[in-house]
Amino acid sequence: MTEVGTEQRLHPLTLLLNLSRQLPQALIALIALRLSGPEELRAWVIVIAFVAIVAMFGTGVWKWWRFSYRLDAEELRIASGILNRNVRSIPYERIQDVNLERGPLARMLGMARVRLETGSSGSGDEGVLDSVDLAEAERLRDVIRLRKAVQAGTVSSSTEDASDAYTTETTPIFTMDTRRVLTAGVFNFSLVFFAIVGALINNLDFLLPGDIWSPRRLLDMLGLDELFEALDLAARVFSVFAALFALVVIGLVGGIIRTVLREYGFRLDRTETGFRRRRGLVTLTDVVMPLHRIQAAVIATGPVRRRLGWFGLKVQSLASDSDQESDHSIAPLAHSDEVRAILGETGIRWDTDYQAMRSVDPAMWWVPLVFALPVPIIGIGVSAALANGWLVLLYALLVLVPIISWLHWRAHRYALEGHQLYVRDGCWAQRLTLLPLRRVQSVDIRQSVVSRFIGLADISIGVAGRSSPVTVHAIPLDDAIALRTRLLRTI
């Protein structure tokens, strides 16, 4: 075991991990140079590749040698930098928690990435050790937690307290088995497959012909050009719907794969300081969310999920998530009683829902249409007159705009119950924000020229750790002033 107070370096195999992250981009660049670079350089690709690998490895060794960390009595010190040295001191009392991440290669090599949470400037990278031996990572986590607890006076300084307080397994308050993870994937429609293909095309576009996106070119590549020409109009329409159906299937499969990779083995424990979440099939993450840093909760659902009794629960915290999400997911797919049980640990209540909440003024949906719809109406008419008369069919799509706007207005509601504000948004992706009034940081009343004329206002509530304010749209100005007064009185 490493002695506290001595300078330590990262695991030597960190060099292999860093090299594996850099090689793909380097290989793509070399392939591009070999196939489409200047003729005089193509013969030197092997030499350039050798020099590039040596340079990357040499730079990595130098950075590894110049990087060190040390556990002092009151703080963790991290020194880095090849030419310009940077020594960062992180007091234990400022560290909210220590999270461990293990990617596929790190798991094979028995290593882990240690990430410190301090909430400094909302950044999740205040202190990162990438990578250390797994046993050393767990030791660092336990020692830092113990020293923080000793400074807070919650435990004594004996090493036995560290094992008792932090290494004992507890009964989870929420878990997801494989069946539930797969169910969650069905509801998480994702076109990640096309995102991956797009990323590959973006990096390998020099290998593709310029007319790759031409429908004729695609049909010819798939060997369907002659077949499509032989089809009548009905068959062509059917083929289009078949393609859309295939797109839906790909989205469902992509959502399931993405969810399984992220949520497999999901487990949420209640610790002395907050929640501990462990999940991941390929990359394992072990994250702790201190309760006192949780600012608000968001319950997500949809028409189908709601009818089946499924909800997702996220919390908004001052500490960032391990995978840089804006919110911490602590129950991706749960029943209402499970959500209420988890919320009970945070002190946030779920006492009201859509039917009991106040609706906002209908101007929320019709005012934007008055100013926005004339632009596409005129544009489609001009395009149809000058270019192609068939473009007038696009007017049929404009019918959807007021319908969608009306549905969003119907979904948007709010309520102030006791010491908690409820704000609901979204007709398909429904989000119910539960904001304890003690977490309110600021309250703004906003009016545009039109809203001032009709006597309405938007009220925006600032919350620490949230990128955008909680907003209630289109309420009478008197109601907005009264709501602001109640919120500020609580602050």
Side-chain angles (χ1 to χ4, degrees):
M1 180 179 292
T2 306
E3 293 296 330
V4 174
T6 59
E7 294 282 348
Q8 302 297 325
R9 288 191 175 86
L10 301 179
H11 197 290
L13 290 178
T14 302
L15 300 171
L16 179 61
L17 286 174
N18 292 335
L19 195 62
S20 67
R21 296 165 185 158
Q22 298 173 9
L23 278 180
Q25 291 292 335
L27 289 176
I28 291 176
L30 291 172
I31 293 174
L33 178 63
R34 179 66 179 87
L35 297 178
S36 58
E39 189 68 34
E40 59 273 13
L41 293 180
R42 295 182 183 181
W44 295 88
V45 168
I46 296 179
V47 176
I48 295 174
F50 176 77
V51 173
I53 293 175
V54 171
M56 285 190 297
F57 186 76
T59 303
V61 170
W62 197 359
K63 290 177 63 177
W64 172 81
W65 182 259
R66 298 284 286 171
F67 187 98
S68 64
Y69 65 93
R70 186 177 73 199
L71 288 170
D72 288 339
E74 302 293 334
E75 63 187 15
L76 170 68
R77 301 187 66 186
I78 300 177
S80 61
I82 296 179
L83 299 177
N84 299 322
R85 296 293 288 167
N86 177 41
V87 180
R88 175 174 297 175
S89 297
I90 308 176
Y92 297 124
E93 61 182 8
R94 303 298 299 172
I95 298 176
Q96 298 301 320
D97 206 76
V98 186
N99 301 325
L100 306 184
E101 300 175 5
R102 303 183 66 201
L105 186 55
R107 292 167 62 188
M108 293 174 58
L109 300 176
M111 297 190 297
R113 184 173 187 255
V114 181
R115 192 164 66 92
L116 308 176
E117 294 282 3
T118 69
S120 173
S121 302
S123 173
D125 294 329
E126 300 90 347
V128 176
L129 304 179
D130 184 17
S131 297
V132 298
D133 181 80
L134 179 59
E136 171 67 2
E138 293 175 343
R139 188 195 72 84
L140 284 170
R141 178 183 61 190
D142 294 340
V143 170
I144 292 174
R145 286 176 176 173
L146 174 62
R147 288 176 175 265
K148 176 178 173 62
V150 169
Q151 290 181 352
T154 57
V155 300
S156 65
S157 58
S158 63
T159 56
E160 289 79 11
D161 288 333
S163 59
D164 292 341
Y166 301 113
T167 62
T168 302
E169 286 291 329
T170 59
T171 302
I173 62 174
F174 179 76
T175 59
M176 292 178 62
D177 56 19
T178 303
R179 180 177 179 181
R180 186 174 294 200
V181 171
L182 293 174
T183 304
V186 173
F187 295 115
N188 290 333
F189 184 87
S190 174
L191 296 178
V192 64
F193 169 77
F194 293 99
I196 294 174
V197 173
L200 291 175
I201 291 175
N202 184 58
N203 286 281
L204 301 175
D205 57 348
F206 57 88
L207 297 176
L208 303 175
D211 58 345
I212 182 62
W213 297 117
S214 169
R216 294 289 181 184
R217 174 79 180 186
L218 292 174
L219 289 172
D220 184 60
M221 289 175 58
L222 297 174
L224 302 177
D225 192 21
E226 295 182 1
L227 176 61
F228 193 78
E229 289 291 342
L231 296 177
D232 57 15
L233 179 61
R236 292 186 181 187
V237 172
F238 176 79
S239 66
V240 171
F241 280 102
L244 293 176
F245 177 77
L247 182 66
V248 172
V249 172
I250 292 173
L252 289 174
V253 173
I256 292 174
I257 294 175
R258 183 167 176 261
T259 303
V260 170
L261 292 176
R262 184 181 60 222
E263 310 293 358
Y264 182 82
F266 190 99
R267 170 174 174 152
L268 185 72
D269 293 273
R270 177 68 165 90
T271 68
E272 290 187 357
T273 59
F275 294 128
R276 180 185 182 189
R277 185 196 67 196
R278 284 170 281 184
R279 66 176 181 177
L281 179 63
V282 178
T283 299
L284 301 180
T285 59
D286 187 344
V287 179
V288 170
M289 292 156 268
L291 284 183
H292 71 277
R293 309 211 82 195
I294 294 176
Q295 305 295 300
V298 177
I299 299 174
T301 187
V304 178
R305 278 189 294 172
R306 189 183 189 87
R307 183 170 292 274
L308 297 176
W310 292 116
F311 301 87
L313 177 61
K314 295 183 177 182
V315 293
Q316 296 170 343
S317 173
L318 294 176
S320 62
D321 201 354
S322 60
D323 44 16
Q324 303 303 311
E325 293 180 349
S326 58
D327 304 328
H328 288 274
S329 176
I330 59 176
L333 192 68
H335 295 293
S336 58
D337 55 340
E338 295 173 323
V339 172
R340 285 188 168 90
I342 298 172
L343 285 174
E345 300 290 336
T346 67
I348 300 176
R349 302 178 61 85
W350 182 14
D351 292 333
T352 187
D353 205 352
Y354 176 77
Q355 300 299 331
M357 300 172 71
R358 298 180 60 179
S359 60
V360 299
D361 194 277
M364 174 184 170
W365 75 269
W366 63 261
V367 167
L369 297 181
V370 170
F371 294 93
L373 272 183
V375 175
I377 290 175
I378 296 174
I380 292 174
V382 173
S383 300
L386 299 179
N388 191 330
W390 287 101
L391 292 176
V392 297
L393 296 177
L394 294 177
Y395 280 125
L397 297 178
L398 292 183
V399 178
L400 299 176
V401 177
I403 295 176
I404 294 173
S405 182
W406 182 84
L407 289 174
H408 277 285
W409 163 71
R410 288 277 297 173
H412 186 59
R413 297 196 172 204
Y414 73 101
L416 183 57
E417 298 287 341
H419 295 285
Q420 196 163 279
L421 178 68
Y422 298 79
V423 180
R424 186 181 186 272
D425 295 288
C427 58
W428 181 257
Q430 302 170 5
R431 288 167 54 93
L432 175 63
T433 302
L434 290 69
L435 175 61
L437 300 190
R438 67 182 185 276
R439 299 302 190 185
V440 173
Q441 298 290 316
S442 63
V443 183
D444 297 331
I445 293 179
R446 300 177 180 176
Q447 288 184 290
S448 65
V449 175
V450 177
S451 61
R452 288 176 61 188
F453 179 76
I454 59 180
L456 299 178
D458 295 346
I459 185 165
S460 298
I461 300 104
V463 183
R466 182 183 170 101
S467 57
S468 60
V470 178
T471 304
V472 180
H473 298 278
I475 60 176
L477 180 59
D478 292 341
D479 290 350
I481 294 174
L483 181 57
R484 180 182 63 179
T485 301
R486 292 184 62 183
L487 295 174
L488 292 177
R489 185 184 301 122
T490 304
I491 297 177

